Amino acid sequence: MTRVLVTGGAGTIGAAVVRRLMRDPAYEVRVSDQRTAPQWMREACEIHTGDLRDVEQARAAMDGCPLVIHLAAIVGGIGNFHKLPHTLTEVNNGLYNAIFRAALDHGVERFTYVSSSMVFENATEYPTTEAYLPQCPTPTSAYGFSKLTGEVYCRAAHAEHGLPYTICRPFNAYGPGEMPDPEPGIAHMVPDVIKKVLGGQKPLEIFGSGKQTRTLTHIDDIADGIVVATGHPAALNEDFNISASEELTIAETARIIWEECGEDPAAFRLKHLPTFEVDVVRRWPSVEKARELLGWESRISVREGIAQTVAWLREQDLTQSSHLSALGK
């Protein structure tokens, strides 16, 4: 078996990646995260706890792991991008410095960097292809710039030292595992809006006009795409959009959430709040490259995935705050 290090493995996407790896007998998993790993993960995986901004901790976490999937980052919803711009860049860049150094020191066989659709926040090409990135205007948000910086690290380490890498860009991750935050906008849209509907909010408050579009992608699909790319020869030194293909407006997504929470469709009404300075107008990726090179595509429909997420959140204490790095990614 091949040992895989998953940084940020206790987060929502991280945990989904760990579950997906565990279903494949070719892999054994080590998780590195400062948060407490859930019981099932502690029983099934090797656990490293430490600050991966420290290069010695990063080396210790990576020792004996030919494959690395790097998800550890400060993330969150649109509110986080504006509330914590320096913290995002400081922490994420600190992680890059130590993690890439450790990967080079250990000579890892494949370094999979989990980037973000936010590298395309100023895109004007739709559907947005991977090949468009060099022409895409630089991200405005600190978060988008930080995730793009990680991609630059990958390519720089490859160009100078031959680091074998794969870049995966999830688009609009959602699914069971992420709690909403008491402050709207800090968590992602789906848990935030589900909380509002389950709490009886009428009319339903959203940021902006509701005409902004997103391509919601279930965490289990994202995890599958990341694991497939990590092990696929055609993904070596390549980048991929890991995404569903259905473009929906925020208003359309809010309606699906409303209906899957059991509310009367005829009673659906929106209240439009002022939005943030950076609120991507359109997000719709091309998924052809992953389909053609990896044979991968998403499987879970938005309505099915939101129904799962609603059911999971009904079981949780919605007064609990989400962690700053809820998606762990």
Side-chain angles (χ1 to χ4, degrees):
M1 289 193 295
T2 302
R3 184 179 292 124
V4 186
L5 172 67
V6 181
T7 72
T12 304
I13 295 179
V17 168
V18 170
R19 288 193 296 267
R20 171 61 178 80
L21 286 165
M22 287 170 53
R23 293 199 300 270
D24 191 326
Y27 299 118
E28 58 181 351
V29 184
R30 179 183 296 163
V31 172
S32 182
D33 205 305
Q34 287 187 288
R35 293 163 293 189
T36 301
Q39 183 64 31
W40 66 266
M41 194 177 289
R42 296 197 300 272
E43 292 173 355
C45 305
E46 189 178 348
I47 304 296
H48 171 271
T49 303
D51 187 345
L52 293 175
R53 293 172 295 178
D54 182 322
V55 69
E56 293 304 323
Q57 287 289 332
R59 288 192 186 105
M62 210 172 293
D63 187 31
C65 296
L67 304 180
V68 176
I69 300 176
H70 180 47
L71 292 116
I74 291 186
V75 298
I78 189 172
N80 249 10
F81 303 168
H82 297 81
K83 188 175 183 179
L84 300 164
H86 180 256
T87 299
L88 288 165
T89 53
E90 181 182 43
V91 172
N92 292 347
N93 286 1
L95 287 165
Y96 300 146
N97 285 331
I99 287 288
F100 280 93
R101 180 71 264 160
L104 292 171
D105 290 347
H106 282 298
V108 301
E109 295 175 12
R110 181 78 67 92
F111 185 99
T112 299
Y113 169 61
V114 181
S115 183
S116 169
S117 61
M118 284 295 287
V119 303
F120 290 128
E121 69 181 74
N122 289 322
T124 57
E125 174 193 88
Y126 303 102
T128 309
T129 64
E130 292 88 346
Y132 173 68
L133 185 64
Q135 287 76 49
C136 186
T138 303
T140 304
S141 72
Y143 177 70
F145 189 85
S146 173
K147 298 306 289 186
L148 180 60
T149 298
E151 297 196 17
V152 174
Y153 268 76
C154 280
R155 293 184 174 92
H158 172 71
E160 184 173 347
H161 302 292
L163 178 71
Y165 73 87
T166 297
I167 295 169
C168 294
R169 297 187 197 94
F171 277 69
N172 299 117
Y174 77 99
E178 184 187 9
M179 291 292 290
D181 195 272
E183 181 180 342
I186 298 299
H188 289 82
M189 178 205 172
V190 170
D192 186 29
V193 175
I194 290 173
K195 177 185 177 182
K196 291 174 181 178
V197 178
L198 294 181
Q201 187 181 87
K202 297 177 183 178
L204 184 60
E205 295 178 352
I206 62 170
F207 292 112
S209 68
K211 296 179 181 178
Q212 316 97 298
T213 71
R214 302 291 183 263
T215 306
L216 297 181
T217 311
H218 195 280
I219 56 168
D220 288 347
D221 279 334
I222 289 172
D224 185 57
I226 291 169
V227 173
V228 168
T230 297
H232 203 295
L236 181 63
N237 305 326
E238 294 283 355
D239 60 328
F240 297 92
N241 297 333
I242 302 297
S243 179
S245 57
E246 183 180 11
E247 182 185 27
L248 293 170
T249 67
I250 296 295
E252 288 169 334
T253 301
R255 177 177 281 280
I256 293 171
I257 292 171
W258 179 269
E259 293 173 359
E260 292 303 322
C261 286
E263 295 293 330
D264 180 5
F268 178 72
R269 300 288 185 278
L270 292 175
K271 179 179 180 181
H272 300 278
L273 304 180
T275 192
F276 295 87
E277 180 182 352
V278 176
D279 187 355
V280 176
V281 174
R282 191 175 187 191
R283 185 172 290 147
W284 182 37
S286 168
V287 294
E288 291 304 311
K289 184 175 180 179
R291 183 182 294 126
E292 291 175 4
L293 293 188
L294 308 179
W296 179 87
E297 58 188 344
S298 67
R299 299 185 303 270
I300 301 171
S301 71
V302 171
R303 191 169 287 274
E304 177 189 356
I306 285 178
Q308 290 179 10
T309 310
V310 169
W312 183 82
L313 280 169
R314 285 188 187 277
E315 299 173 355
Q316 312 307 310
D317 177 6
L318 293 186
T319 63
Q320 176 184 342
S321 296
S322 64
H323 192 279
L324 178 63
S325 50
L327 284 179
K329 274 179 184 169

